[in-house]
Amino acid sequence: MRPTVAPFPTTRLRRTRRTAALRALTRETTLSVGDLIWPIFVRDGENVLEEVPSMPGVMRRSIDRAVAAAEEAADLGIPAICLFPYTDPSLKTELCEEAWSPDNLSNRTIRAIKAAVPEIAVMTDIALDPYNANGHDGIVRDGIIVNDETVEALVKMALAQAEAGADILGPSDMMDGRIGAMRKALEAAGHCDITIMSYSAKYASAFYGPFRDAVGASGALKGDKKTYQMDPANSDEALRLIERDLMEGADMVMVKPGMPYLDICRRVKDAFAVPTYAYQVSGEYAMLMAAAQNGWLDREKVMMESLMSFKRAGCDGILTYFAPEAAALLGRD
Ligand code: PBG
């Protein structure tokens, strides 16, 4: 039973807010460096650091620079880094064969990071969009994004990433049946301990705009992703997707985007009590940075407040482009 609040002045709720010490004692939620996953963009070349124009401060890095970023993350105490490849347009095809090449950019980066910084968890992205001439997350036939054929391709991609040494696989494609198919294939191949963080409740959102610039998918995409990503108007459907993915073998689940979907995070945590993550996506980062660059918002303060909001909403962790900056402020656990 919730205690009733005695009337004023017996209760003065400002009493516990009076000093920093009292506020610390009554703080309900904590944010720590162990809650952060840092998404980074990887490209070909050597010693290349190239800023993504719509994401100030966010870089595309050549593999050697990605390894340096992983070292920086480990030094800061960030537990995981998540890789997104910027694929050369000449490698994009209708059947997306580059997606499961053992030597694609993503798999080479996994191996390089795991060799240099074995303690950091490497998370991947499983979807065909970086490799697809159509820019879609799935294979397109006669204008339709075909589900089952895409799942076969995604399974090959998952196995190649597992072979390369990934710790956390991140299927972000929103096809039906992919988690079960991947889990079965991973078990059969002896990859019994690899974790899957499913992008289970991923919405068809306009907040992904800057990311598509970062991975070079904006120009390629024909149409939209509404036949596979969720309708922003829906909430019950998110619970069905999460439950389905858990039943199929997901170890962790994700809600994406983050800030406009905190209600979904809360419902998921309350309903399933499983490891739950949110992705503070590129457009969320871009809007906070743009306002900060104009002097309209205090960057550090809105960064920390936005990250805390995910914890308050029930998330166990956050994928955020702010990870290194936030980690530096938070200090090691
Ligand atoms: C690809 C993928 C996307 C993001 C992560 N994986 C883009 C999309 O679905 O179009 C978005 C991340 C971000 O905006 O920061 N399937």
Side-chain angles (χ1 to χ4, degrees):
M1 262 290 281
R2 178 183 282 273
T4 48
V5 180
F8 175 84
T10 307
T11 300
R12 287 181 186 265
L13 287 165
R14 284 185 59 192
R15 285 184 197 125
T16 51
R17 287 183 225 135
R18 188 172 56 87
T19 66
L22 290 164
R23 289 192 295 275
L25 283 171
T26 52
R27 189 159 298 134
E28 298 173 35
T29 308
T30 56
L31 174 70
S32 71
V33 65
D35 301 325
L36 305 173
I37 300 174
W38 184 18
I40 65 165
F41 299 108
V42 188
R43 50 154 296 155
D44 250 326
E46 223 176 286
N47 201 18
V48 185
L49 263 188
E50 146 188 290
E51 196 169 33
V52 179
S54 50
M55 300 179 75
V58 171
M59 305 290 168
R60 293 190 196 111
R61 303 159 200 270
S62 50
I63 294 181
D64 53 325
R65 293 299 197 120
V67 170
E71 281 162 357
E72 181 194 338
D75 287 344
L76 287 163
I78 296 172
I81 200 162
C82 182
L83 308 180
F84 292 99
Y86 170 83
T87 307
D88 191 297
S90 68
L91 294 171
K92 298 186 187 203
T93 60
E94 305 262 312
L95 289 178
C96 315
E97 290 94 338
E98 181 67 6
W100 54 90
S101 160
D103 287 318
N104 70 20
L105 188 55
S106 179
N107 292 331
R108 280 184 281 135
T109 310
I110 296 169
R111 282 195 289 269
I113 292 178
K114 289 312 291 188
V117 200
E119 70 272 24
I120 201 156
V122 175
M123 175 168 168
T124 65
D125 183 60
I126 303 184
L128 300 179
D129 52 331
Y131 312 98
N132 197 338
N134 294 288
H136 276 289
D137 292 13
I139 293 169
V140 183
R141 294 218 179 267
D142 302 326
I144 307 283
I145 292 94
V146 292
N147 192 88
D148 299 9
E149 193 180 344
T150 298
V151 169
E152 284 175 33
L154 297 171
V155 166
K156 287 189 259 183
M157 204 174 164
L159 288 171
Q161 294 175 353
E163 286 297 329
D167 298 284
I168 307 171
L169 303 182
S172 69
D173 54 284
M174 291 294 281
M175 298 298 124
D176 285 321
R178 89 270 207 222
I179 303 296
M182 280 175 206
R183 181 55 80 201
K184 195 169 153 217
L186 289 166
E187 286 286 326
H191 296 294
C192 305
D193 292 327
I194 197 157
T195 51
I196 298 179
M197 182 188 295
S198 180
Y199 289 62
S200 300
K202 176 171 177 181
Y203 288 85
S205 171
F207 284 100
Y208 308 146
F211 173 98
R212 292 179 191 166
D213 296 339
V215 298
S218 306
L221 182 62
K222 299 189 182 78
D224 57 48
K225 299 191 176 185
K226 290 180 184 169
T227 69
Y228 45 106
Q229 298 180 347
M230 278 183 72
D231 183 339
N234 292 357
S235 174
D236 289 344
E237 188 187 359
L239 299 192
R240 298 180 73 199
L241 286 162
I242 300 267
E243 183 166 19
R244 189 269 315 265
D245 286 358
L246 290 168
M247 297 297 290
E248 290 186 16
D251 306 288
M252 303 177 256
V253 293
M254 192 206 294
V255 174
K256 179 181 172 198
M259 295 191 308
Y261 296 87
L262 292 179
D263 57 322
I264 309 299
C265 298
R266 170 49 65 196
R267 283 193 79 186
V268 167
K269 191 64 175 179
D270 286 349
F272 301 107
V274 295
T276 302
Y277 301 81
Y279 197 143
Q280 184 178 48
V281 299
S282 56
E284 301 176 58
Y285 175 86
M287 69 183 180
L288 294 180
M289 287 299 284
Q293 286 186 332
N294 273 297
W296 297 338
L297 289 174
D298 179 315
R299 190 181 76 243
E300 278 188 6
K301 289 191 175 131
V302 293
M303 168 177 84
M304 298 311 264
E305 183 178 334
S306 64
L307 294 174
M308 183 64 83
S309 75
F310 292 106
K311 293 298 300 291
R312 196 191 59 239
C315 294
D316 296 286
I318 310 119
L319 287 95
T320 176
Y321 301 99
F322 287 120
E325 206 185 336
L329 283 178
L330 289 165
R332 292 185 68 100
D333 280 346

